[in-house]
Amino acid sequence: QVQLVESGGGLVQTGGSLRLSCAASGRTFSSYTMGWFRQAPGKEREFVAAINWNGDTTGYADSAKGRFTISRDNAKNTVYLQMNSLKPEDTAVYYCAAARRYFGHESPRYDYWGQGTQVTVSS
């Protein structure tokens, strides 16, 4: 069992930056792929980024490439999402998720989810 708690969301102006964190419980954190997803009002949840168990492989949605960076610190059981050059269309609830035997963008393949943190980008 893995419990995930996101933090770092908030209100930021267009062009600003935020760093999201996701703290995980459990001793097996380092064996999981970790992903970030987001859901805007009235829209489906969408993939943002993923990182494999040791951090040497990452993947990004086209909307995140060049602006967002996912990283992890297995010693701290934490995964991060650095978001730069934020746009109003990045406004959403951001969720982190953990997958035991999968790396990719498909949300049903992730086993554990956090409660989410709100990111609002004002224009």
Side-chain angles (χ1 to χ4, degrees), residues 35-107:
W36 285 98
F37 293 77
R38 68 186 183 185
Q39 188 167 19
K43 296 188 177 181
E44 293 186 354
R45 187 173 299 186
E46 66 176 7
F47 170 77
V48 176
I51 188 166
N52 76 329
W53 69 278
N54 67 354
D56 67 0
T57 302
T58 58
Y60 295 92
D62 287 344
S63 59
K65 288 178 182 176
R67 299 188 301 127
F68 294 2
T69 302
I70 189 171
S71 62
R72 67 189 298 161
D73 184 340
N74 286 343
K76 296 182 178 180
N77 279 14
T78 302
V79 63
Y80 305 97
L81 185 68
Q82 178 66 44
M83 304 187 294
N84 299 328
S85 303
L86 283 162
K87 307 173 183 179
E89 50 264 44
D90 294 317
T91 296
V93 177
Y94 283 70
Y95 299 89
C96 73
R100 285 173 292 184
R101 295 183 180 88
Y102 173 73
F103 176 86
H105 66 279
E106 298 178 15
S107 60

